[in-house]
Amino acid sequence: MSDNTEKTEKIGKPTLPEHVRLRFCPSPTGIPHVGMIHTALYNWAEARHAGGTLIFRMEDTDSKRDTQESLDMIIEALHWMGIDWDEGIGKGPDEMYFQSKRADVYAKVAQQLLDAGYAYESYSTAEEIAARNKAAGRPETFGYDGYDRTLSEEEKEKFRAEGRKPALRLKMPDEDITWNDLVRGEITFKAGSVPDYVIVRPNGEALYTLTNPIDDAITEVNVVLRGEDLLPSTPRQIVLYRYLIELGIAKQTPLFGHLPYVMGEGNKKLSKRDPQSNLFLLRDQGFIREGLLNYLALLGWSFSATEDVFSMEQFTNAFDVRDVKSNPAHFDLKKAIAINAAHIRMLEPEDFLRRSVPYLFKDGAVSADNWDALTDREKTILIQSAPLVQTRVRLLSEVTNMVAPLLSIDEYIAPADDAKKQLKDDSAEVLDKAIAALSTLSDDEWKTDQIHELLSEELVEKAGYKPRNAFGPVRVAMSGHRVSPPLFESMEIIGKTISMARLANLRANL
Ligand code: GLU
């Protein structure tokens, strides 16, 4: 593990401010997806690593696409993941952290930009811009041509008289824009490659390109970590910052770090439609927060050359955004599951059981969705089962198959398809011998070791069956499956009466 606990210099990368102020500012459209949470996680980790501040605000300026449901889900996702914040939603006035409530702030700054000559009224329609580009032999992708920069007052008056309303565009200077990206190093956009861009729509709506830097400026954000899809907007924001500094609205231009895409199967960006991009589906599948956070942390960053399972504390101690790799990271479900399994094994047994209960309830294996409301019998059996199960599941959703036969009072469990193959010609004989042997044990003697010894002696040593053939049918009788938690421990938990009944009933059904 590298020692990043101090603010070390990173060759070629900027020095981080003494007190970092970062923000996570999603738009509430759709489900919380893995890419979004990955961004939140890295901002949080950088803030925690450096003892800085994380701000959480909502960029809800698109009333057509924003939903309350999405907002609630994002907050639930952060809570579930244990990503906390220091300033922002719930920790200050909504007028500060919901962009939908800040139209007057943006309008005021837009006016200041206009008055100072940093922005100008633009009356050109998309069709007019396209027609001018065509006439001048420029490609369509050229975009806006700066036409309205030099409109005279009379020309503007004429447009207004026609009933046209202007958009506001920001003036881009005729020079290269360069910054030293925290992830990617130096990036330059050549002079003329970024057209003057719209900051306020003709209907008066301020756009993301304006609202995002204004809020960052007002809350004194000094490190911006966000997805690489936003990289094209960065030169514009850097120019806007210059103007905001001139106007006394911003203190500084933040440092920018553009985080790698999270890729799915093949070479495609993980899309919102991929089931494995949906955080809540992953939770439903039985990921625990520690496992998923650990895995997400590894998408673009590594903890050490030899170790990829770590706690959140180890993660925040070690993380430095300047170590993040710029190449796209692939979401590998198999690896994610393996890491989750490691974290499940590290849980305290009681914690493991408490977290498993909602999954057991959903599958109909227990009577309530939380530990405290379970019956005493359920609690006793689960406590006995925990050591058998916790090391054998990779996802919490796998607990049901393991413990359902232990919880069930059914006297017959029909063999599942995988278990039928385990039943051979001699299975009836094996079961007869097992029943005869086990019936000699008293209730008090019905213990793991005694059951094990007796069955080994009678079926393997005396009758000469291979252990697999001897114990296979017994396992199927107990669990209905070919694979189950350890057999003899399971039989002790199931108890003598039900175990004997299951053996007899499987025998009768062969
Ligand atoms: N609201 C923007 C988004 O969800 C965030 C942009 C940023 O982090 O600068 O993409």
PDB file of all heavy atoms in Angstrom, residues 23 25-27 39 57 59 208 212 216 224-227 229-230 237, ligand 1:
ATOM      1  N   ARG A  23     -17.692  18.336  -4.592  1.00  0.00           N
ATOM      2  CA  ARG A  23     -19.156  18.235  -4.608  1.00  0.00           C
ATOM      3  C   ARG A  23     -19.599  17.072  -5.457  1.00  0.00           C
ATOM      4  O   ARG A  23     -18.903  16.618  -6.363  1.00  0.00           O
ATOM      5  CB  ARG A  23     -19.781  19.554  -5.071  1.00  0.00           C
ATOM      6  CG  ARG A  23     -19.897  19.805  -6.563  1.00  0.00           C
ATOM      7  CD  ARG A  23     -18.667  19.611  -7.352  1.00  0.00           C
ATOM      8  NE  ARG A  23     -18.780  20.195  -8.670  1.00  0.00           N
ATOM      9  CZ  ARG A  23     -18.989  19.523  -9.807  1.00  0.00           C
ATOM     10  NH1 ARG A  23     -19.089  18.216  -9.782  1.00  0.00           N
ATOM     11  NH2 ARG A  23     -19.071  20.148 -10.959  1.00  0.00           N
ATOM     12  N   CYS A  25     -23.058  16.305  -7.583  1.00  0.00           N
ATOM     13  CA  CYS A  25     -24.217  17.114  -7.983  1.00  0.00           C
ATOM     14  C   CYS A  25     -24.975  16.457  -9.131  1.00  0.00           C
ATOM     15  O   CYS A  25     -24.970  16.934 -10.258  1.00  0.00           O
ATOM     16  CB  CYS A  25     -23.758  18.514  -8.361  1.00  0.00           C
ATOM     17  SG  CYS A  25     -22.412  18.542  -9.544  1.00  0.00           S
ATOM     18  N   PRO A  26     -25.626  15.325  -8.850  1.00  0.00           N
ATOM     19  CA  PRO A  26     -26.340  14.623  -9.916  1.00  0.00           C
ATOM     20  C   PRO A  26     -27.601  15.353 -10.345  1.00  0.00           C
ATOM     21  O   PRO A  26     -28.082  16.239  -9.632  1.00  0.00           O
ATOM     22  CB  PRO A  26     -26.713  13.290  -9.259  1.00  0.00           C
ATOM     23  CG  PRO A  26     -26.848  13.615  -7.811  1.00  0.00           C
ATOM     24  CD  PRO A  26     -25.833  14.688  -7.533  1.00  0.00           C
ATOM     25  N   SER A  27     -28.110  14.964 -11.498  1.00  0.00           N
ATOM     26  CA  SER A  27     -29.430  15.399 -11.930  1.00  0.00           C
ATOM     27  C   SER A  27     -30.386  14.256 -11.623  1.00  0.00           C
ATOM     28  O   SER A  27     -30.080  13.103 -11.905  1.00  0.00           O
ATOM     29  CB  SER A  27     -29.430  15.677 -13.428  1.00  0.00           C
ATOM     30  OG  SER A  27     -28.487  16.683 -13.695  1.00  0.00           O
ATOM     31  N   THR A  39     -18.826   8.057  -9.260  1.00  0.00           N
ATOM     32  CA  THR A  39     -18.418   9.462  -9.146  1.00  0.00           C
ATOM     33  C   THR A  39     -18.590   9.950  -7.703  1.00  0.00           C
ATOM     34  O   THR A  39     -17.717  10.617  -7.148  1.00  0.00           O
ATOM     35  CB  THR A  39     -19.274  10.333 -10.092  1.00  0.00           C
ATOM     36  OG1 THR A  39     -19.061   9.875 -11.423  1.00  0.00           O
ATOM     37  CG2 THR A  39     -18.888  11.792 -10.002  1.00  0.00           C
ATOM     38  N   ARG A  57     -25.470  18.491  -3.838  1.00  0.00           N
ATOM     39  CA  ARG A  57     -26.579  19.332  -4.306  1.00  0.00           C
ATOM     40  C   ARG A  57     -27.256  18.663  -5.492  1.00  0.00           C
ATOM     41  O   ARG A  57     -26.735  17.710  -6.070  1.00  0.00           O
ATOM     42  CB  ARG A  57     -26.081  20.735  -4.670  1.00  0.00           C
ATOM     43  CG  ARG A  57     -25.272  20.795  -5.927  1.00  0.00           C
ATOM     44  CD  ARG A  57     -25.132  22.210  -6.498  1.00  0.00           C
ATOM     45  NE  ARG A  57     -24.424  22.162  -7.756  1.00  0.00           N
ATOM     46  CZ  ARG A  57     -23.121  22.416  -7.902  1.00  0.00           C
ATOM     47  NH1 ARG A  57     -22.381  22.759  -6.867  1.00  0.00           N
ATOM     48  NH2 ARG A  57     -22.562  22.300  -9.089  1.00  0.00           N
ATOM     49  N   GLU A  59     -28.876  18.993  -9.269  1.00  0.00           N
ATOM     50  CA  GLU A  59     -28.937  19.819 -10.474  1.00  0.00           C
ATOM     51  C   GLU A  59     -30.252  19.494 -11.184  1.00  0.00           C
ATOM     52  O   GLU A  59     -30.283  18.804 -12.207  1.00  0.00           O
ATOM     53  CB  GLU A  59     -27.691  19.579 -11.331  1.00  0.00           C
ATOM     54  CG  GLU A  59     -26.439  19.892 -10.515  1.00  0.00           C
ATOM     55  CD  GLU A  59     -25.262  20.435 -11.300  1.00  0.00           C
ATOM     56  OE1 GLU A  59     -24.985  19.910 -12.388  1.00  0.00           O
ATOM     57  OE2 GLU A  59     -24.620  21.388 -10.814  1.00  0.00           O
ATOM     58  N   TYR A 208     -27.252  24.220 -17.630  1.00  0.00           N
ATOM     59  CA  TYR A 208     -26.224  23.553 -16.818  1.00  0.00           C
ATOM     60  C   TYR A 208     -24.867  24.262 -16.920  1.00  0.00           C
ATOM     61  O   TYR A 208     -24.161  24.425 -15.930  1.00  0.00           O
ATOM     62  CB  TYR A 208     -26.112  22.105 -17.288  1.00  0.00           C
ATOM     63  CG  TYR A 208     -24.811  21.449 -16.973  1.00  0.00           C
ATOM     64  CD1 TYR A 208     -24.564  20.979 -15.687  1.00  0.00           C
ATOM     65  CD2 TYR A 208     -23.811  21.328 -17.929  1.00  0.00           C
ATOM     66  CE1 TYR A 208     -23.348  20.398 -15.373  1.00  0.00           C
ATOM     67  CE2 TYR A 208     -22.595  20.758 -17.624  1.00  0.00           C
ATOM     68  CZ  TYR A 208     -22.364  20.295 -16.346  1.00  0.00           C
ATOM     69  OH  TYR A 208     -21.159  19.733 -16.037  1.00  0.00           O
ATOM     70  N   ASN A 212     -24.035  25.230 -13.068  1.00  0.00           N
ATOM     71  CA  ASN A 212     -23.074  24.357 -12.393  1.00  0.00           C
ATOM     72  C   ASN A 212     -21.847  25.141 -11.895  1.00  0.00           C
ATOM     73  O   ASN A 212     -21.515  25.087 -10.705  1.00  0.00           O
ATOM     74  CB  ASN A 212     -22.743  23.203 -13.357  1.00  0.00           C
ATOM     75  CG  ASN A 212     -21.647  22.296 -12.890  1.00  0.00           C
ATOM     76  OD1 ASN A 212     -20.481  22.632 -12.972  1.00  0.00           O
ATOM     77  ND2 ASN A 212     -21.997  21.120 -12.388  1.00  0.00           N
ATOM     78  N   ASP A 216     -20.798  26.011  -7.957  1.00  0.00           N
ATOM     79  CA  ASP A 216     -19.458  25.623  -7.494  1.00  0.00           C
ATOM     80  C   ASP A 216     -18.719  26.851  -6.963  1.00  0.00           C
ATOM     81  O   ASP A 216     -18.045  26.790  -5.929  1.00  0.00           O
ATOM     82  CB  ASP A 216     -18.647  24.993  -8.640  1.00  0.00           C
ATOM     83  CG  ASP A 216     -19.083  23.565  -8.938  1.00  0.00           C
ATOM     84  OD1 ASP A 216     -19.880  23.004  -8.158  1.00  0.00           O
ATOM     85  OD2 ASP A 216     -18.630  23.019  -9.958  1.00  0.00           O
ATOM     86  N   VAL A 224     -13.071  19.622  -8.706  1.00  0.00           N
ATOM     87  CA  VAL A 224     -14.234  19.071  -9.412  1.00  0.00           C
ATOM     88  C   VAL A 224     -13.845  17.705  -9.982  1.00  0.00           C
ATOM     89  O   VAL A 224     -12.986  17.619 -10.855  1.00  0.00           O
ATOM     90  CB  VAL A 224     -14.672  20.022 -10.553  1.00  0.00           C
ATOM     91  CG1 VAL A 224     -15.668  19.331 -11.478  1.00  0.00           C
ATOM     92  CG2 VAL A 224     -15.263  21.302  -9.983  1.00  0.00           C
ATOM     93  N   LEU A 225     -14.460  16.655  -9.456  1.00  0.00           N
ATOM     94  CA  LEU A 225     -14.227  15.310 -10.004  1.00  0.00           C
ATOM     95  C   LEU A 225     -15.524  14.853 -10.639  1.00  0.00           C
ATOM     96  O   LEU A 225     -16.563  14.805  -9.965  1.00  0.00           O
ATOM     97  CB  LEU A 225     -13.841  14.323  -8.894  1.00  0.00           C
ATOM     98  CG  LEU A 225     -12.653  14.705  -8.027  1.00  0.00           C
ATOM     99  CD1 LEU A 225     -12.357  13.570  -7.029  1.00  0.00           C
ATOM    100  CD2 LEU A 225     -11.432  14.982  -8.881  1.00  0.00           C
ATOM    101  N   ARG A 226     -15.457  14.527 -11.909  1.00  0.00           N
ATOM    102  CA  ARG A 226     -16.684  14.130 -12.594  1.00  0.00           C
ATOM    103  C   ARG A 226     -16.346  13.248 -13.779  1.00  0.00           C
ATOM    104  O   ARG A 226     -15.176  13.114 -14.153  1.00  0.00           O
ATOM    105  CB  ARG A 226     -17.436  15.369 -13.047  1.00  0.00           C
ATOM    106  CG  ARG A 226     -16.571  16.277 -13.893  1.00  0.00           C
ATOM    107  CD  ARG A 226     -17.292  17.550 -14.174  1.00  0.00           C
ATOM    108  NE  ARG A 226     -16.566  18.363 -15.132  1.00  0.00           N
ATOM    109  CZ  ARG A 226     -17.059  19.463 -15.646  1.00  0.00           C
ATOM    110  NH1 ARG A 226     -18.262  19.871 -15.304  1.00  0.00           N
ATOM    111  NH2 ARG A 226     -16.363  20.164 -16.511  1.00  0.00           N
ATOM    112  N   GLY A 227     -17.395  12.691 -14.385  1.00  0.00           N
ATOM    113  CA  GLY A 227     -17.188  11.721 -15.459  1.00  0.00           C
ATOM    114  C   GLY A 227     -16.551  12.358 -16.689  1.00  0.00           C
ATOM    115  O   GLY A 227     -16.717  13.545 -16.958  1.00  0.00           O
ATOM    116  N   ASP A 229     -17.350  12.137 -19.609  1.00  0.00           N
ATOM    117  CA  ASP A 229     -18.314  12.613 -20.606  1.00  0.00           C
ATOM    118  C   ASP A 229     -18.472  14.131 -20.523  1.00  0.00           C
ATOM    119  O   ASP A 229     -18.903  14.765 -21.486  1.00  0.00           O
ATOM    120  CB  ASP A 229     -19.678  11.922 -20.424  1.00  0.00           C
ATOM    121  CG  ASP A 229     -20.158  11.942 -18.989  1.00  0.00           C
ATOM    122  OD1 ASP A 229     -19.310  11.804 -18.079  1.00  0.00           O
ATOM    123  OD2 ASP A 229     -21.357  12.110 -18.763  1.00  0.00           O
ATOM    124  N   LEU A 230     -18.098  14.728 -19.405  1.00  0.00           N
ATOM    125  CA  LEU A 230     -18.259  16.176 -19.239  1.00  0.00           C
ATOM    126  C   LEU A 230     -17.016  16.958 -19.651  1.00  0.00           C
ATOM    127  O   LEU A 230     -16.997  18.186 -19.590  1.00  0.00           O
ATOM    128  CB  LEU A 230     -18.625  16.488 -17.786  1.00  0.00           C
ATOM    129  CG  LEU A 230     -20.035  15.988 -17.438  1.00  0.00           C
ATOM    130  CD1 LEU A 230     -20.230  15.864 -15.947  1.00  0.00           C
ATOM    131  CD2 LEU A 230     -21.081  16.901 -18.049  1.00  0.00           C
ATOM    132  N   GLN A 237     -16.165  26.094 -19.087  1.00  0.00           N
ATOM    133  CA  GLN A 237     -16.310  26.456 -17.676  1.00  0.00           C
ATOM    134  C   GLN A 237     -15.097  27.231 -17.189  1.00  0.00           C
ATOM    135  O   GLN A 237     -15.223  28.143 -16.372  1.00  0.00           O
ATOM    136  CB  GLN A 237     -16.528  25.197 -16.846  1.00  0.00           C
ATOM    137  CG  GLN A 237     -17.790  24.466 -17.293  1.00  0.00           C
ATOM    138  CD  GLN A 237     -18.372  23.559 -16.240  1.00  0.00           C
ATOM    139  OE1 GLN A 237     -17.700  23.194 -15.292  1.00  0.00           O
ATOM    140  NE2 GLN A 237     -19.625  23.202 -16.417  1.00  0.00           N
TER     141      GLN A 237
HETATM  142  N1  GLU B   1     -25.375  17.365 -13.014  1.00  0.00           N
HETATM  143  C1  GLU B   1     -24.266  16.886 -13.760  1.00  0.00           C
HETATM  144  C2  GLU B   1     -24.503  15.451 -14.149  1.00  0.00           C
HETATM  145  O1  GLU B   1     -25.284  14.767 -13.500  1.00  0.00           O
HETATM  146  C3  GLU B   1     -22.993  16.973 -12.944  1.00  0.00           C
HETATM  147  C4  GLU B   1     -21.948  17.682 -13.675  1.00  0.00           C
HETATM  148  C5  GLU B   1     -20.666  17.900 -12.910  1.00  0.00           C
HETATM  149  O2  GLU B   1     -20.330  17.093 -12.030  1.00  0.00           O
HETATM  150  O3  GLU B   1     -20.007  18.898 -13.187  1.00  0.00           O
HETATM  151  O4  GLU B   1     -23.939  14.981 -15.102  1.00  0.00           O
END
